[in-house]
Amino acid sequence: MRLLVTGAWQDAGAHLDMLTAMGHEVAFLQQEKEPLPVDPAWVEGVICNGLFLHHPIEAFTSLRYIQLTSAGFDRVPMDAVRARRITIRNARGVYSVPMAEHALWGVLSLYHQGAFFLKNQRKARWEKHRGLRELAGKTVCILGCGSVGTECAGRFRAFGCRVVGVNRTVRENAAFDAILPLTALDEALAQTDVVVITLPLTEQTRGLMNDERLAVMKPGAVLVNIARGAIVDADALLRALDENLSGAVLDVFEPEPLAPESPLWHRPDVIVTPHNSFVGDGNAARLRAVILKNLEDYLADRK
């Protein structure tokens, strides 16, 4: 297959010769916004992330295979992909472990007043805090029961939490104590101490956590968003933090980067990270395995 590989696969340089040895013709593009190194009509397969934000998919007239280095499909013109019956694969499972660890870390940091103790450590100040909370016995609601949600569920259950999933489709998953349909979301939110968002961004999930939905959340609850910023209405979240929520762990925003003047930066009840939850030292090996297996499976299916 004639493959265009982009720098979105950070380890691509170490694997181009291997792809060639597998029988592929390979072209490489470091920055996806740069001019293409080949005629787009030459390309039969791509390994990329946001390539089609900068180059129209219509120009890739021979394209039949897309491998994303991301888990989400929101940076790809999916209507065109479906219309042309292009096979598309994502990086499912690659980033789930660090994202789940990030969610757990954020909640523990709020529950155990990490910012308070770090501030005092820098001042060499010995001061106890009597307002620490325990995760054990709490109820955690995870919105989205895919690979990231499943990894989150296992970690929170290990801390003695009851974990409820809310998902578009209800299916068996041993990592959860229960999985409910989206129609039960408000009921679940009202009984939940921690809400973790791992949903993909779609027209149905955009703005899902608005004033009305945040208002039904249990007083003192913590909201974690490691999915996409547009799922949460930022202004509504600020109001909820003043009224009923005790904190938020936010790794994603709409737009990004988060504006310097945003009040979210300065709230002691909010942890802000720069879309960094997916980073982990096991990602490279997992991504390589996913890319190679998906390529092999695709070519095997075409024989």
Side-chain angles (χ1 to χ4, degrees):
M1 182 159 49
R2 298 191 297 269
L3 278 175
L4 174 63
V5 181
T6 81
W9 183 12
Q10 293 186 2
D11 281 351
H15 300 102
L16 296 181
D17 289 344
M18 180 184 59
L19 291 173
T20 301
M22 292 169 62
H24 302 290
E25 295 180 64
V26 181
F28 182 70
L29 175 67
Q30 180 62 52
Q31 299 291 334
E32 293 183 337
K33 62 184 178 182
E34 293 177 351
L36 298 176
V38 292
D39 188 312
W42 176 88
V43 179
E44 295 176 323
V46 295
I47 300 173
C48 67
N49 182 10
L51 181 68
F52 303 114
L53 297 177
H54 311 286
H55 305 278
I57 196 170
E58 292 76 15
F60 294 80
T61 53
S62 303
L63 186 64
R64 50 192 172 89
Y65 180 81
I66 298 171
Q67 170 66 63
L68 299 176
T69 60
S70 62
F73 295 94
D74 51 294
R75 307 187 80 198
V76 182
M78 288 303 297
D79 288 343
V81 170
R82 285 187 285 263
R84 292 172 53 183
R85 297 184 179 180
I86 297 169
T87 299
I88 186 167
R89 297 288 182 262
N90 68 345
R92 176 180 172 83
V94 170
Y95 311 108
S96 303
V97 168
M99 291 177 72
E101 291 182 359
H102 184 96
L104 182 62
W105 160 80
V107 175
L108 285 171
S109 295
L110 290 176
Y111 268 35
H112 288 267
Q113 297 295 325
F116 170 86
F117 290 115
L118 181 59
K119 181 179 178 181
N120 281 350
Q121 179 180 341
R122 288 170 176 166
K123 296 179 178 180
R125 182 177 180 178
W126 188 273
E127 180 184 2
K128 296 187 186 298
H129 194 300
R130 302 293 183 179
L132 308 189
R133 289 182 283 176
E134 300 174 0
L135 260 180
K138 300 297 192 295
T139 297
V140 177
C141 178
I142 298 176
L143 310 188
C145 302
S147 59
V148 177
T150 297
E151 293 289 347
C152 288
R155 282 158 179 77
F156 280 101
R157 286 185 77 183
F159 275 74
C161 298
R162 177 175 183 268
V163 179
V164 175
V166 174
N167 204 51
R168 184 176 58 183
T169 57
V170 176
R171 57 182 183 273
E172 290 294 321
N173 188 328
F176 295 83
D177 291 289
I179 294 182
L180 307 173
L182 280 172
T183 52
L185 176 56
D186 287 353
E187 179 184 352
L189 292 177
Q191 304 172 38
T192 298
D193 302 288
V194 177
V195 175
V196 183
I197 303 172
T198 68
L199 291 164
L201 178 62
T202 66
E203 288 308 308
Q204 290 71 40
T205 62
R206 184 179 297 274
L208 179 70
M209 301 304 290
N210 53 21
D211 275 302
E212 292 76 15
R213 193 145 280 125
L214 291 166
V216 303
M217 287 180 62
K218 183 177 178 180
V222 170
L223 179 71
V224 180
N225 189 6
I226 52 174
R228 287 292 186 265
I231 296 174
V232 177
D233 182 323
D235 292 333
L237 176 59
L238 284 166
R239 288 187 286 270
L241 286 165
D242 287 336
E243 294 167 6
N244 63 312
L245 301 187
S246 69
V249 180
L250 306 174
D251 185 56
V252 288
F253 305 88
E254 181 67 28
E256 292 182 353
L258 180 63
E261 61 271 18
S262 171
L264 290 170
W265 285 108
H266 309 291
R267 292 191 65 114
D269 53 357
V270 175
I271 294 175
V272 171
T273 51
H275 204 140
N276 208 86
S277 65
F278 70 95
V279 177
D281 58 5
N283 287 348
R286 286 188 293 267
L287 182 58
R288 175 184 180 275
V290 165
I291 288 173
L292 296 183
K293 184 178 187 305
N294 285 344
L295 264 176
E296 291 169 358
D297 289 349
Y298 172 74
L299 294 175
D301 289 342
R302 291 182 60 84
K303 288 182 179 179

